[in-house]
Amino acid sequence: MPVREACLWWRRLALALAAAVALPAHAIPTFAEVRQDFKPSDTLILSQEGEIVQRLRTDASVRRGQWVPLADVSPALRAALVLSEDKRFYEHSGVDWRAASAAAWGNLWNQRTRGASTITMQLAGLLDGDWRQGPGGRSVVQKLGQTVAAQVLDRRWRKDQVLEAYLNLVPFRSELVGIDALSRTLFDKAAHGLDDREAAVAAALVRAPNARPALVSQRACGVLRDLQQRPGQPAVRVDCDALDLFVTAALQRRAFDASEGIAPHFARYLLRQQQAAGDKPAAPPERVASTLRAPLQRFAVQTLAQHLRELQGRNVEDGAVLVLDNATGAVLAWVGSSGQLSQAGEVDGVQALRQPGSTLKPFLYAQAIAERRLTAASLVDDSPAHIATASGLYIPQNYDRQFKGWVSARTALAASLNVPAVRTLVMVTPDAFHRQLGALGLPLRESGDYFGYSLALGSPEVPLLHLTNAFRTLANGGSRGSVRVWPAQPGAAPVRAIDAGAAFIVGDILSDGNARSRTFGTDSVLATRFWSAVKTGTSKDMRDNWAVGWSERYTVGVWVGNASGAAMHDVSGTSGAAPIWAAVMGFLHAREPSRAPAAPKGLVRQAVQFGALQAAQGSAAGAAASLPLEAARQEWFVPGTQQARFAIDLGPTDEPVVARRGAKPSRALPAAAVEAADDPSARILAPVPGTIIALDPDIPPDRQRLQFVASGGRDLRWRIDGREQGRGARWAWPPWPGRHQLELVDARGKVHDTLQFEVRGAGVLSRK
């Protein structure tokens, strides 16, 4: 081929290559577009105040932190990077032709020279994959394209923009991309805090991201020497051995946790909810606004941890706190666990299914009041009850193992008495109460018949999130709304779940310190300086402890226990969750009042009196004496249920009630009446032969008792399975499961009566 034609051919080839690379090179994005398209591997959750409350990793393919402005990068790192990668960065126009010539000359003579790729050229490769180096190096077209793109970048972008974008996009090591991820992972600090030694290591990693520690430290030593060298001064001696130890330790660190902040469980729930609602974009969002209040969230976290430390000797390590805004349903605080105090910190106690215990009672009484089966002043019997079920007799008991006799429904609910609650459920029926719980947003996996009468004492499992929102329904007059976790979250329109009058009456009961004093005393931690209504609960075998209540503006729910399901030791309703509830409520109302709600239209308020009518001993028929049961007071009623006096006819005082053999007593027998019986032959009145006892699953076994009652005889003894267990005509026995032989004997060992019975359920107690 003639020389002229050959030159023309090469010229055409050069023009073709230039045209091939010019079009994509000129399509380089602007700095603003690159910054806008940058997506961290983490999502930042912001509080109402705009404060970052949680950082959560949402991209598992890469570890990329936040975009760091150049002004927030330490001067040492900027200098080290330029010295290591591109000494004439501020002088050339994107391509260092002097370095390129030196590299070409060295390649011609097979000499190892420093690469000619500038920071700007490397950035061009990061912005466009067409110019990125492959396993076999760059092709001629790629090199030409990268060169053209670098010059375009240098004309369109400022030098500080080039350096800022490069620091945020360059891969450093393994999955780490960008200076924020590198500095937080290897050095556990922000980029603005890197010193000379750390900056030298970072610059060395740019050259060889996945090199061995020894090679990284060798290169870092050279960068550090150049960095610390002063113009006109002697060479600086750098301790490379110490630097080698530092590099080896740094490369092993993983300080940049996948999640960091004060609301990890809330953050995950929020992002899942956004994804389910379709509000989440294709790529994970960089920042998400939430409904949390940062100061309140911090206080709740600290209060829970502090109180659980105080309970460590009682085998309690987990807890959860939830605060809702009554009007909007916004989540203001969400603490899912006790963090480092827990062995299951990843378990979200706000969403975990746990037994709510007595916290279901307010909804039961609200339903009974709405259905006009009870009023707040109705008298209910707190005495031993034997309720027939498919598995035997269900015998509800109170937590303190004592019975209060006839009490008003107000006292029964406020003092959390179990037997009246079960009697109320008998009136309402388990299936109807099951439907009521579903309407409150507490759908249960099993039917009402499955739980039976233990449903009144909170035997099903519900999450704190749904339970707290159900209490918020009471705070809102029986209107149930949805919970919101971000400001613009859509939600369903509120629905009527409970009669407004019944909801108000239940709230009035739960705010009544005098009514709860029978169980909690008058100076309980539940008593606040402002208006509030609260209910505590303890579940089966003391595995869960709750306090849920509301004020004028807020509903607060607290759970403490163990994620493993282990039982707590001697933790009551007022020593477990209640102090945390009271502290959070106090924080909310430190400068904000809480007034009692106004009664809904139609409710009737009337003065009531209480009495027990009892025929006086030796009096004429019809004569009676009135024994007050509770103090007179003003009471609220659903229209049509009001009355001025509530009394119970207990029968003549000189005629003790004695049950026939083989029949269940309708109520407890007075001890004096039993001892005074004239029958010389002692008999067992309770239990009856063949009785099957189904123990209460919601009370610890050591807190339950089975009442044994006898008539006749003196100095009676009770033998169970051949061993004497108790004495007296009346004895409360701590039961254990199994079939048992019961004998009633006297002091001489003579057997007066015997029967067999069976105990089912609950835990096995140590036999003594």
Side-chain angles (χ1 to χ4, degrees):
M1 178 183 298
V3 175
R4 184 177 180 180
E5 292 181 5
C7 291
L8 183 60
W9 184 85
W10 280 107
R11 185 177 180 182
R12 290 174 178 173
L13 177 61
L15 290 172
L17 290 173
V21 301
L23 185 61
H26 281 278
I28 288 176
T30 65
F31 175 79
E33 291 172 337
V34 172
R35 173 65 186 88
Q36 183 178 358
D37 291 341
F38 179 85
K39 297 299 180 186
S41 60
D42 301 330
T43 294
L44 302 181
I45 307 300
L46 307 180
S47 68
Q48 291 184 17
E49 302 83 3
E51 181 179 335
I52 298 173
V53 292
Q54 190 67 37
R55 175 182 53 77
L56 190 66
R57 185 171 183 179
T58 50
D59 185 354
S61 63
V62 69
R63 196 73 174 103
R64 186 185 293 116
Q66 300 298 307
W67 183 279
V68 181
L70 190 61
D72 292 338
V73 177
S74 73
L77 178 58
R78 283 180 271 168
L81 187 65
V82 171
L83 284 171
S84 174
E85 293 299 307
D86 192 354
K87 289 185 177 181
R88 285 180 288 276
F89 171 72
Y90 292 103
E91 303 170 14
H92 61 65
S93 60
V95 179
D96 189 348
W97 295 109
R98 188 190 308 176
S101 300
W105 183 259
N107 290 334
L108 179 64
W109 296 98
N110 293 323
Q111 296 176 351
R112 293 194 61 179
T113 62
R114 186 171 182 173
S117 180
T118 66
I119 289 177
T120 312
M121 294 173 67
Q122 293 179 49
L123 177 60
L126 295 173
L127 295 178
D128 193 332
D130 290 341
W131 319 132
R132 201 162 297 161
Q133 182 173 332
R138 291 186 180 90
S139 65
V140 174
V141 173
Q142 284 181 313
K143 290 180 180 179
L144 287 173
Q146 187 184 32
T147 301
V148 174
Q151 295 180 85
V152 173
L153 267 175
D154 193 77
R155 287 196 303 270
R156 295 181 179 177
W157 290 25
R158 300 192 310 268
K159 289 289 186 179
D160 62 318
Q161 292 177 332
V162 172
L163 189 57
E164 179 177 322
Y166 180 76
L167 281 167
N168 283 282
L169 298 178
V170 65
F172 278 98
R173 188 171 186 84
S174 185
E175 63 173 359
L176 301 178
V177 173
I179 188 58
D180 189 46
L182 175 80
S183 59
R184 294 187 183 278
T185 301
L186 300 191
F187 309 122
D188 194 20
K189 61 173 62 174
H192 66 77
L194 298 183
D195 57 24
D196 286 359
R197 183 173 58 171
E198 294 161 341
V201 174
L205 287 172
V206 171
R207 182 77 59 85
N210 296 310
R212 300 188 310 275
L215 181 57
V216 174
S217 62
Q218 179 184 349
R219 289 176 174 171
C221 187
V223 175
L224 184 59
R225 187 180 295 111
D226 293 342
L227 189 62
Q228 296 181 346
Q229 181 69 48
R230 299 292 185 272
Q233 298 293 325
V236 177
R237 184 179 180 278
V238 176
D239 188 348
C240 292
D241 292 336
L243 184 61
D244 181 66
L245 294 175
F246 174 77
V247 170
T248 302
L251 295 181
Q252 294 175 349
R253 295 187 66 179
R254 291 292 181 268
F256 196 25
D257 295 332
S259 182
E260 183 180 33
I262 57 175
H265 303 92
F266 172 80
R268 287 191 283 267
Y269 179 83
L270 167 60
L271 294 181
R272 285 197 303 269
Q273 290 295 108
Q274 284 197 335
Q275 188 174 23
D279 282 12
K280 183 180 177 182
E286 182 177 349
R287 293 170 178 257
V288 176
S290 78
T291 58
L292 285 189
R293 291 184 185 174
L296 175 63
Q297 178 73 12
R298 278 193 295 271
F299 180 83
V301 170
Q302 295 166 2
T303 301
L304 176 65
Q306 177 182 344
H307 188 65
L308 289 181
R309 287 191 184 96
E310 297 173 1
L311 294 177
Q312 279 185 331
R314 303 186 187 183
N315 195 40
V316 186
E317 66 176 31
D318 293 299
V321 180
L322 182 68
V323 181
L324 301 178
D325 183 282
N326 289 343
T328 65
V331 174
L332 305 180
W334 178 310
V335 185
S337 80
S338 58
Q340 296 180 350
L341 298 178
S342 172
Q343 299 184 43
E346 291 300 310
V347 176
D348 186 357
V350 174
Q351 298 187 80
L353 292 172
R354 311 291 299 193
Q355 286 188 324
S358 294
T359 57
L360 294 188
K361 290 177 182 175
F363 311 120
L364 173 61
Y365 280 92
Q367 184 176 5
I369 291 172
E371 295 176 355
R372 305 186 178 214
R373 300 179 186 275
L374 283 178
T375 71
S378 296
L379 293 174
V380 289
D381 191 10
D382 182 32
S383 64
H386 301 69
I387 302 172
T389 69
S391 60
L393 292 179
Y394 180 66
I395 305 179
Q397 302 189 42
N398 291 324
Y399 195 86
D400 59 4
R401 308 179 225 172
Q402 298 178 0
F403 297 98
K404 308 296 190 294
W406 290 97
V407 296
S408 69
R410 173 178 289 270
T411 298
L413 173 57
S416 196
L417 303 179
N418 285 341
V419 177
V422 174
R423 295 187 191 276
T424 301
L425 183 58
V426 172
M427 292 186 284
V428 172
T429 75
D431 276 340
F433 186 41
H434 184 278
R435 290 191 295 271
Q436 174 67 82
L437 293 176
L440 286 161
L442 295 170
L444 309 181
R445 291 178 293 184
E446 291 84 8
S447 66
D449 285 339
Y450 175 86
F451 297 107
Y453 295 111
S454 68
L455 190 60
L457 308 182
S459 59
E461 293 181 330
V462 299
L464 177 63
L465 176 62
H466 294 169
L467 182 63
T468 306
N469 196 43
F471 270 76
R472 174 175 159 256
T473 301
L474 291 173
N476 289 333
S479 178
R480 180 171 70 90
S482 55
V483 171
R484 294 191 303 111
V485 291
W486 73 88
Q489 182 178 3
V495 297
R496 173 64 55 189
I498 300 178
D499 176 77
F504 173 85
I505 293 173
V506 166
D508 188 65
I509 293 172
L510 296 181
S511 66
D512 188 346
N514 291 328
R516 75 167 70 100
S517 63
R518 296 287 293 270
T519 296
F520 300 100
T522 56
D523 59 347
S524 166
V525 68
L526 302 176
T528 60
R529 293 178 176 272
F530 45 88
W531 186 91
S532 63
V534 61
K535 184 71 187 72
T536 61
T538 303
S539 68
K540 178 182 178 182
D541 294 342
M542 299 185 77
R543 299 173 190 268
D544 308 282
N545 188 252
W546 309 75
V548 191
W550 69 95
S551 63
E552 183 181 8
R553 285 199 55 187
Y554 309 103
T555 299
V556 178
V558 180
W559 165 83
V560 298
N562 294 293
S564 64
M568 300 173 287
H569 299 160
D570 194 26
V571 176
S572 68
T574 55
S575 65
I580 304 171
W581 178 89
V584 173
M585 270 295 185
F587 182 87
L588 287 166
H589 290 285
R591 296 179 180 85
E592 184 176 347
S594 176
R595 296 173 291 270
K601 292 182 178 181
L603 278 190
V604 177
R605 187 168 174 81
Q606 179 173 322
V608 296
Q609 292 183 329
F610 300 90
L613 295 180
Q614 192 168 63
Q617 183 173 359
S619 64
S626 180
L627 304 176
L629 293 172
E630 293 187 9
R633 62 172 181 260
Q634 294 285 324
E635 192 57 89
W636 290 101
F637 295 92
V638 171
T641 65
Q642 67 270 22
Q643 62 187 67
R645 183 173 177 80
F646 292 81
I648 293 296
D649 186 359
L650 298 180
T653 57
D654 58 349
E655 295 182 12
V657 180
V658 179
R660 303 186 321 273
R661 178 181 174 87
K664 297 189 290 290
S666 59
R667 60 182 176 87
L669 300 178
V674 174
E675 296 292 348
D678 296 330
D679 185 356
S681 178
R683 291 288 183 266
I684 299 174
L685 300 180
V688 298
T691 295
I692 299 176
I693 309 299
L695 293 179
D696 193 323
D698 303 309
I699 299 178
D702 62 350
R703 294 247 177 197
Q704 302 198 50
R705 293 294 184 270
L706 178 61
Q707 297 292 326
F708 290 167
V709 182
S711 67
R714 299 284 182 179
D715 197 12
L716 298 176
R717 321 286 177 90
W718 299 93
R719 286 200 312 217
I720 301 176
D721 300 331
R723 299 179 61 181
E724 182 177 318
Q725 299 289 339
R727 298 185 179 187
R730 175 188 295 276
W731 179 56
W733 174 63
W736 61 81
R739 291 187 175 93
H740 303 289
Q741 175 93 9
L742 176 64
E743 295 175 313
L744 181 64
V745 301
D746 58 25
R748 296 186 300 273
K750 177 182 177 181
V751 177
H752 289 259
D753 201 356
T754 182
L755 60 83
Q756 292 183 339
F757 66 97
E758 182 179 352
V759 178
R760 295 178 181 175
V764 178
L765 298 175
S766 298
R767 186 170 179 176
K768 298 180 181 179

